[in-house]
């Protein structure tokens, strides 16, 4: 059961993910979470550093779709200035939005990676479909109510995976 929560990779920040490295692995598309993955959950727009990372991703020929459990207004106001397609109210970890994102990009699950900050939504949802998943450290140390509840459960899952020798990184 724990393998559903185990990401394929772990990085500190989304901007640490190198598009050239993704391409070497056959990745042609990214499904990324928004809040606390790309920016703080209460930051309305991309930082200059993040906007530059998106440009590098686009120049590398990698497609991106933002898949968020947040509402349309939040996700649209972030994604549209960057020219990135998005799915809102995704209900992750359910797989419908992930399948929709694959269809939007016209790619197979072997060609796409999921990037997110939560085991219980992003990693679980991606792993359920057999997608590669990358867990990032949350950008902000504060969360909304449901995410705080998720984080408590995630700590228990991470501890169990550590005890079984499934993970080796530090939070």
């Amino acid at each position: 059961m724990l393998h559903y929560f185990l990401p394929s990779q772990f990085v500190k920040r989304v901007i640490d993910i190198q598009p050239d490295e993704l391409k070497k692995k056959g990745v042609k598309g990214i499904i990324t979470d928004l809040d606390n993955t790309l920016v703080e959950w209460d930051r309305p727009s991309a930082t200059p550093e993040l906007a530059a990372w998106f440009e590098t991703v686009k120049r590398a020929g990698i497609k991106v779709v933002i898949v968020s459990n947040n509402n349309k207004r939040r996700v649209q106001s972030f994604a549209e200035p960057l020219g990135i397609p998005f799915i809102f109210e995704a209900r992750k970890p359910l797989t419908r939005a992930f399948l929709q994102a694959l269809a939007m990009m016209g790619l197979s699950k072997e060609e796409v990676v999921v990037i997110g900050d939560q085991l219980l939504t992003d990693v679980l949802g991606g792993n359920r479909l057999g997608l590669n998943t990358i867990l990032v450290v949350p950008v902000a140390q504060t969360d909304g109510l449901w995410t705080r509840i998720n984080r408590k459960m995630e700590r228990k899952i991470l501890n169990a995976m550590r005890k079984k020798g499934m993970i080796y990184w530090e939070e």
Side-chain angles (χ1 to χ4, degrees):
M1 180 73 160
L2 284 177
H3 70 278
Y4 281 111
F5 301 101
L6 184 64
S8 310
Q9 187 179 347
F10 172 79
V11 298
K12 297 257 187 217
R13 305 173 308 161
V14 72
I15 59 172
D16 295 333
I17 299 167
Q18 299 301 315
D20 290 341
E21 292 300 314
L22 292 177
K23 287 187 78 166
K24 286 179 189 173
K25 296 177 182 178
V27 173
K28 297 179 181 177
I30 294 171
I31 296 171
T32 184
D33 178 46
L34 170 55
D35 295 318
N36 277 349
T37 295
L38 299 176
V39 294
E40 297 87 349
W41 61 272
D42 56 351
R43 180 185 290 270
S45 58
T47 63
E49 190 176 29
L50 181 64
W53 181 80
F54 275 122
E55 283 304 313
T56 303
V57 169
K58 287 179 185 178
R59 279 196 307 276
I62 297 174
K63 298 176 182 181
V64 178
V65 176
I66 294 173
V67 176
S68 174
N69 284 346
N70 212 324
N71 63 56
K72 182 178 182 179
R73 192 181 86 211
R74 163 66 174 141
V75 184
Q76 185 175 31
S77 67
F78 180 89
E80 280 188 348
L82 298 168
I84 298 173
F86 61 91
I87 298 168
F88 60 94
E89 295 175 358
R91 300 180 64 205
K92 297 179 288 182
L94 298 179
T95 58
R96 177 190 54 84
F98 293 100
L99 292 168
Q100 185 180 351
L102 290 172
M104 288 169 74
M105 291 186 279
L107 298 172
S108 70
K109 62 183 182 180
E110 294 79 21
E111 298 173 307
V112 174
V113 67
V114 175
I115 302 171
D117 70 303
Q118 289 191 62
L119 293 177
L120 295 175
T121 56
D122 310 305
V123 173
L124 176 59
N127 284 349
R128 289 179 65 212
L129 279 178
L131 296 162
N132 283 314
T133 53
I134 301 175
L135 181 67
V136 299
V137 174
V139 175
Q141 297 304 310
T142 60
D143 289 305
L145 174 63
W146 290 112
T147 305
R148 284 196 307 266
I149 293 167
N150 279 355
R151 298 266 187 235
K152 286 181 182 183
M153 289 188 282
E154 285 178 351
R155 280 192 289 279
K156 290 178 184 193
I157 293 167
L158 285 168
N159 285 334
M161 286 192 289
R162 243 184 227 106
K163 285 179 183 173
K164 291 187 179 276
M166 296 171 73
I167 60 173
Y168 53 87
W169 67 78
E170 293 297 318
E171 288 182 61

